[in-house]
Amino acid sequence: MELAEKRAGADSINAIRAIVGDERIRTAKADLYVYGFDAGMHCNIPDAVVRPRTAEEISQILKLANERNFAVVPRGAGTALCGHAIPIAGGVVLDLQGMNRIKEINPGDLLCVAEPGVVCDDLNAALKKYRFFIPGPASSEAATIGGMAATNASGDKALKYGAMRDYVLGMQAVMPTGEIVRFGTRTLKNASGYQMEKLFIGMEGTLGIITEITLKMAPLPEKTAACIAAFKELVEAGQTVSDIIAAPIFPAQLEIMSDICVKAVNKATGLGLPECGGFLLIACDGHPEQVKDEIRKVKEICEKNKAFFLDFTEDPKRIEELWKGRKQMLASLSVLKPEFSTIMLADDMAVPISKVPDAVKGFLEIQDKYDIYIPPYGHAGDGNLHTKVLLDTENPDHWHQAEKAVREIYDLVLRLGGTVTGEHGVAISKAEYFFIERADSIPFMRAIKRALDPNNILNPYKIFDWDKSFLHNLRYPVQLAGKEKAN
Amino acid sequence: MGEKYSDLEKLKNETLNCTMCGFCKNVCPVFLDVGWDTGSPRGRMTMAYGLITGELEPDDDLVNRIFQCTQCRDCWRRCPGKTKCPDVVLAARRELVRRGKTSASQMAVMQNIRNTGNIFADLEVEFPIQEGDAPLFIGCQHLSRTNSTKKNIRLLQSLGVSPRIVREVCCGFPLEVMGFEEEREKQVEKLKEAFPVNDNTILTFCPGCKVHLEKIFGREVRHVLQEINERLAPDKIAKPVNAKITYHDPCDLSRGAKTTKEPREILKKIGCEIIEMKHVKESSRCCGGGGGILTWDAAMSDRLGLARMEEAIATGAEMLVTACPTCEQSLKKAARAAADKSGAKPMPVYHIMDLLFRAVR
């Protein structure tokens, strides 16, 4: 799709100013620049940044956008990794962090209601008093629940507890054409027609703007215990993952790390994990007796797969440390090689669980072939694997090597029956490979987008409408021939 | 490319290695106050990157955001990649000041120090000059409180410390945080001349001075609380304070000097029961007085102070105790603001040395 700018001119900006007031719109260059970036690898500068407070304000802005043909890009904490919040055609960024009220916690109905700008960890701090939680991504201390819903975020607890889609019961949303609607219910199940609230999960801000969310809550487990296991080879760790699931055991968390990742975490956090080819971090939770039994079985499976180091802890402080180390993986990798930057490439593929060993073996072969760092790690228990590419961002050759390596990674993942994205989404950086994975369903996704957003004003040119390589609109200071910024 | 930012350029890799994870946002008191990403550490890193690449000009909005940082360094503590965000901000400030981007009030502070060697341009400062073993750096803030400083010195002496006090000059720390690098370098030379050190341990009353003096002398400088805690035996306590207090960790003492244990141990020794606030020790929140914010944006300084004071009040403690003269000042002001807001009496705020003096025989 040809990328046409959808800029907001001075008249449009003044009209928005009349809706929200002077204090909640910014057009200073510094603000526009900062909101041109998110946690991904792309950037593009908007024309204004607005902090709406109500669905009504958002509705008015969207109606204006349709009249005047400027783009509107919703944004939570800006922690998404694939360019979701980048205003690629210009326009207006709606910063929803100010809509951050927790409106209701209702243990009797097993639900809570909150605005989209509530930070996941803040919500969980409030839910903890009632002994409930919602599972969050590794970025839970910064990510907002609106962004989590819009990207179907999930994290290390998805194997047992599911992803955001499993928690959203209902929502209030503003449609691209400005109508304020309610989808879903306050019931734990419903069969009342199309479940539009589920369609909105993972829509990446392209179908509407979520202004209130009703979430199911999960009970906090009575007990948690963790087991760490080190293997000489990464494939042994991968095989262990598959054997644990087949046992069948459903750990709360089951994480895999390659040798580079272990070194990076040790260097960044001082956790002192045993250096090895493959490392597993496993947590079981629930009733104390069940936890004890599961941990025993997990240890047996690890031993069978030649774990040379096994440790077990019930100490909540140690468990917290271990998971904090894992959650910091992304930034830890940048500590390991300070001369390189950690790039969000091939960052969250998922494969069928039994294919985890094949996938990690293949990733390491691709790493050796291209002589760049692609350390695999991830939520192996649900088949979701991460790699990050470490490269010199100013060196065009590194980018081109990375491009080739990433293509091979995705080819492998798709051959293994996997998906190019298990939890981070598509937006810009995965679009090229998403086209291969979902070739037959893309026309129907597009049809939905065109029906709901006829003027293509809401977060345009993302997912199936981004037909360029990920090397366009990079936020790094590198010149790549033919890959100049889109506008 | 725009004009060259050579000082900032040295930290370009820091801006590139920032993964933009955003973990710094919700620990940053300024971001929590302003709400816009431009007011967050991540935003400041992005703006610094924009200056380096020439994509941003140092206009008033950018300058304001760069100077709004309180240098509390909580972003650095939380950063999983240990990206040097506070150092990037300081480098950006140096670059901006070189281009004349500063404020009249910060210029005034700089001129005070340059012309008088004292942050307040106080020419009447009474230096309690004395011979002794340990070079004691009092600091401008404590020097302005003649009586309490004399008491503090007596307290140290009663615990067996023999301080050597000279006619010192400002250590230059305020110049560093405000970006006056050339003036800071000159001030450091003046300081070295005015404050000769020997092989004995250097002591100071002020957390900010401690951090900066360590940088200057390249060796450990002890905050007096570290020394006092080692020397404070139970038989020295004549009149226990017997109060429920909450303790505010000054940023430069907790994150800067990793000194969180000693003040708490001292408070317990003198009979205080500590009720902790939500953000304590290495995760403490700024009082609203750090990083030059007091002179850059007084209204923001007041709001940050009030937020911290409300956290203190929420503990139900009888009083707030801290160990930094700037924190004490900011929080006393905040206590009055909180009282005006709620109609209750202001929460009493004390410097830990004042409580110590009362308790020790």
Side-chain angles (χ1 to χ4, degrees):
Chain A
M1 184 183 218
E2 190 60 33
L3 194 152
E5 285 196 356
K6 288 177 173 282
R7 293 277 171 195
D11 288 354
S12 300
I13 289 168
N14 285 336
I16 296 171
R17 186 172 278 117
I19 296 169
V20 297
D22 283 342
E23 294 299 309
R24 289 192 280 121
I25 181 165
R26 303 282 298 176
T27 53
K29 278 184 186 162
D31 287 288
L32 301 183
Y33 189 76
V34 165
Y35 280 89
F37 292 67
D38 66 4
M41 53 197 273
H42 300 97
C43 72
N44 203 54
I45 311 302
D47 306 307
V49 188
V50 180
R51 285 169 64 85
R53 290 253 173 86
T54 63
E56 287 71 24
E57 287 177 350
I58 295 172
S59 166
Q60 289 180 58
I61 293 168
L62 286 173
K63 284 176 184 166
L64 197 66
N66 278 282
E67 282 166 29
R68 303 191 182 195
N69 195 34
F70 61 82
V72 175
V73 179
R75 174 182 170 115
T79 53
L81 299 169
C82 310
H84 298 76
I86 302 302
I88 205 72
V92 175
V93 170
L94 294 190
D95 174 352
L96 300 168
Q97 293 173 105
M99 292 177 71
N100 60 356
R101 286 178 304 159
I102 298 172
K103 291 180 157 181
E104 181 184 351
I105 297 173
N106 190 330
D109 287 342
L110 201 62
L111 61 82
C112 61
V113 182
E115 290 183 331
V118 173
V119 172
C120 180
D121 276 4
D122 291 346
L123 179 61
N124 275 331
L127 297 185
K128 194 178 178 185
K129 293 172 199 156
Y130 302 88
R131 296 205 50 76
F132 287 101
F133 78 107
I134 60 158
S139 57
S140 62
E141 67 185 85
T144 58
I145 58 164
M148 285 164 57
T151 55
N152 190 26
S154 61
D156 54 15
K157 290 194 166 86
L159 167 65
K160 184 169 181 178
Y161 291 101
M164 203 60 179
R165 179 166 283 123
D166 303 307
Y167 288 82
V168 174
L169 300 175
M171 65 176 62
Q172 181 195 60
V174 186
M175 301 304 283
T177 37
E179 300 87 347
I180 300 172
V181 292
R182 283 201 173 270
F183 295 138
T185 60
R186 286 171 58 93
T187 56
L188 293 188
K189 54 185 188 176
N190 84 70
S192 59
Y194 290 178
Q195 291 189 263
M196 296 291 281
E197 72 283 6
K198 301 292 185 194
L199 175 64
F200 266 49
I201 309 303
M203 53 86 180
E204 302 188 6
T206 63
L207 296 183
I209 296 178
I210 301 167
T211 48
E212 183 192 287
I213 312 175
T214 303
L215 291 165
K216 185 172 82 172
M217 307 181 293
L220 273 174
E222 208 175 319
K223 187 178 178 69
T224 302
C227 176
I228 56 178
F231 302 82
K232 205 171 153 198
E233 304 292 339
L234 188 57
V235 283
E236 293 167 348
Q239 188 57 49
T240 306
V241 170
S242 194
D243 289 354
I244 289 171
I245 303 302
I249 301 166
F250 270 29
Q253 291 146 295
L254 178 40
E255 297 289 305
I256 195 166
M257 290 189 225
S258 60
D259 54 351
I260 297 175
C261 297
V262 172
K263 282 183 187 143
V265 168
N266 282 341
K267 188 172 176 188
T269 67
L271 265 178
L273 303 177
E275 297 212 347
C276 57
F279 184 81
L280 291 181
L281 184 53
I282 307 152
C284 296
D285 69 9
H287 187 277
E289 285 305 313
Q290 177 203 342
V291 171
K292 202 170 154 189
D293 185 51
E294 283 186 354
I295 287 284
R296 181 183 56 77
K297 288 177 184 163
V298 163
K299 282 160 88 173
E300 283 170 11
I301 295 168
C302 289
E303 279 163 359
K304 194 193 87 185
N305 283 296
K306 302 184 203 161
F308 70 83
F309 177 91
L310 262 175
D311 196 14
F312 158 80
T313 181
E314 292 182 355
D315 175 10
K317 206 173 157 196
R318 178 66 178 158
I319 293 172
E320 194 188 329
E321 274 173 7
L322 289 168
W323 254 269
K324 205 169 171 185
R326 163 60 190 87
K327 280 187 168 191
Q328 294 187 180
M329 176 65 70
L330 180 55
S332 298
L333 287 167
S334 68
V335 177
L336 190 69
K337 294 270 170 195
E339 70 277 25
F340 289 168
S341 296
T342 313
I343 307 298
M344 306 303 147
L345 280 174
D347 47 308
D348 73 318
M349 302 70 58
V351 294
I353 300 163
S354 66
K355 303 294 184 193
V356 167
D358 296 331
V360 293
K361 184 167 172 277
F363 295 163
L364 292 178
E365 284 167 4
I366 295 166
Q367 174 175 271
D368 292 344
K369 181 175 170 186
Y370 290 100
D371 194 26
I372 54 176
Y373 289 99
I374 314 174
Y377 65 99
H379 320 304
D382 55 26
N384 191 186
L385 294 166
H386 298 298
T387 64
K388 295 286 179 295
V389 177
L390 296 180
L391 50 81
D392 173 357
T393 52
E394 296 182 64
N395 184 336
D397 291 342
H398 277 211
W399 283 102
H400 290 304
Q401 286 293 89
E403 189 181 26
K404 288 178 201 161
V406 167
R407 174 165 287 282
E408 285 206 25
I409 287 174
Y410 284 128
D411 285 347
L412 171 66
V413 165
L414 295 178
R415 273 204 312 279
L416 292 171
T419 172
V420 299
T421 172
E423 59 184 14
H424 296 169
V426 179
I428 296 174
S429 65
K430 311 275 178 49
E432 193 177 349
Y433 313 99
F434 167 81
F435 272 85
I436 302 168
E437 181 193 331
R438 297 291 173 114
D440 56 352
S441 55
I442 282 176
F444 301 97
M445 292 189 195
R446 276 206 184 113
I448 294 170
K449 168 74 174 168
R450 304 288 180 264
L452 298 185
D453 184 11
N455 295 318
N456 196 29
I457 54 99
L458 198 53
N459 206 6
Y461 310 111
K462 301 284 171 70
I463 320 177
F464 37 76
D465 283 339
W466 182 259
D467 55 6
K468 299 176 178 61
S469 139
F470 65 75
L471 293 176
H472 286 265
N473 280 73
L474 290 178
R475 73 167 158 110
Y476 299 100
V478 64
Q479 297 295 322
L480 301 172
K483 310 286 186 189
E484 61 283 348
K485 287 185 180 178
N487 54 33
Chain B
M1 284 291 271
E3 56 183 317
K4 195 90 174 150
Y5 288 85
S6 50
D7 214 359
L8 202 47
E9 186 91 26
K10 290 175 200 152
L11 294 168
K12 185 178 176 184
N13 260 1
E14 297 295 321
T15 64
L16 284 171
N17 287 346
C18 168
T19 60
M20 315 277 274
C21 69
F23 287 11
C24 54
K25 288 170 63 175
N26 295 318
V27 300
C28 173
V30 175
F31 173 71
L32 294 173
D33 181 68
V34 303
W36 297 93
D37 276 10
T38 340
S40 73
R42 184 175 85 167
R44 286 186 277 272
M45 291 292 267
T46 310
M47 287 184 281
Y49 175 74
L51 285 175
I52 294 167
T53 58
E55 291 172 311
L56 277 184
E57 294 293 321
D59 61 19
D60 289 351
D61 295 285
L62 180 144
V63 171
N64 186 40
R65 291 305 193 204
I66 294 290
F67 278 93
Q68 275 180 336
C69 164
T70 69
Q71 284 290 303
C72 74
R73 304 183 82 84
D74 209 12
C75 54
W76 179 82
R77 174 196 62 83
R78 185 57 203 102
C79 177
K82 288 286 169 275
T83 311
K84 294 173 185 153
C85 183
D87 293 348
V88 169
V89 169
L90 289 182
R93 287 182 182 181
R94 292 195 292 274
E95 298 279 12
L96 295 173
V97 168
R98 270 182 211 126
R99 288 159 178 78
K101 306 282 185 183
T102 179
S103 70
S105 50
Q106 298 211 331
M107 281 289 281
V109 175
M110 182 273 284
Q111 283 162 351
N112 286 350
I113 298 172
R114 184 174 64 188
N115 298 338
T116 68
N118 179 281
I119 194 169
F120 305 113
D122 185 355
L123 298 171
E124 309 293 315
V125 172
E126 193 181 322
F127 292 95
I129 294 170
Q130 60 186 68
E131 284 304 315
D133 301 328
L136 172 65
F137 190 83
I138 295 172
C140 301
Q141 291 272 12
H142 279 283
L143 278 173
S144 70
R145 304 156 187 217
T146 311
N147 289 339
S148 67
T149 297
K150 281 180 185 167
K151 286 181 190 170
N152 292 345
I153 293 165
R154 269 164 51 206
L155 175 73
L156 286 176
Q157 287 167 331
S158 75
L159 294 172
V161 179
S162 161
R164 189 218 62 193
I165 300 167
V166 296
R167 183 176 286 273
E168 67 183 42
V169 293
C170 172
C171 68
F173 184 55
L175 298 171
E176 177 176 85
V177 298
M178 293 187 297
F180 294 103
E181 181 58 12
E182 282 176 26
E183 296 298 337
R184 188 195 77 90
E185 284 170 7
K186 287 180 196 161
Q187 189 61 29
V188 165
E189 290 312 310
K190 289 182 195 169
L191 168 85
K192 283 179 176 171
E193 205 177 308
F195 187 76
V197 295
N198 53 28
D199 290 339
N200 293 334
T201 307
I202 307 168
L203 296 175
T204 183
F205 286 127
C206 174
C209 297
K210 171 182 157 63
V211 171
H212 196 236
L213 289 173
E214 283 186 341
K215 208 182 283 182
I216 293 168
F217 293 116
R219 64 177 166 116
E220 191 199 2
V221 173
R222 300 197 99 190
H223 189 272
V224 289
L225 292 183
Q226 296 172 289
E227 195 71 22
I228 290 170
N229 191 38
E230 283 174 11
R231 293 168 181 264
L232 189 64
D235 65 347
K236 292 280 182 190
I237 313 298
K239 280 168 62 182
V241 176
N242 293 331
K244 285 186 182 176
I245 63 108
T246 190
Y247 175 72
H248 165 79
D249 293 273
C251 299
D252 291 321
L253 197 60
S254 55
R255 279 182 289 277
K258 314 279 179 230
T259 305
T260 58
K261 183 170 63 80
E262 294 85 343
R264 286 175 173 77
E265 286 180 359
I266 290 170
L267 287 165
K268 284 179 189 163
K269 284 180 192 176
I270 62 172
C272 292
E273 181 189 335
I274 305 171
I275 311 173
E276 296 285 12
M277 285 185 262
K278 189 175 172 191
H279 300 98
V280 293
K281 301 177 184 174
E282 287 79 9
S283 310
S284 180
R285 286 269 155 87
C286 175
C287 65
I293 193 77
L294 207 58
T295 43
W296 184 266
D297 188 339
M300 174 178 281
S301 167
D302 288 348
R303 292 195 301 274
L304 302 189
L306 181 61
R308 185 59 171 162
M309 178 48 66
E310 288 179 337
E311 214 180 287
I313 292 168
T315 64
E318 294 166 43
M319 64 179 81
L320 183 147
V321 183
T322 188
C324 164
T326 308
C327 296
E328 181 194 358
Q329 201 178 1
S330 296
L331 293 167
K332 275 183 172 161
K333 193 176 177 195
R336 289 193 294 275
D340 287 345
K341 196 174 156 188
S342 69
K345 274 184 159 179
M347 185 178 214
V349 176
Y350 292 103
H351 195 290
I352 188 170
M353 295 295 284
D354 295 337
L355 293 192
L356 260 168
F357 187 77
R358 275 197 235 163
V360 173
R361 70 173 83 237

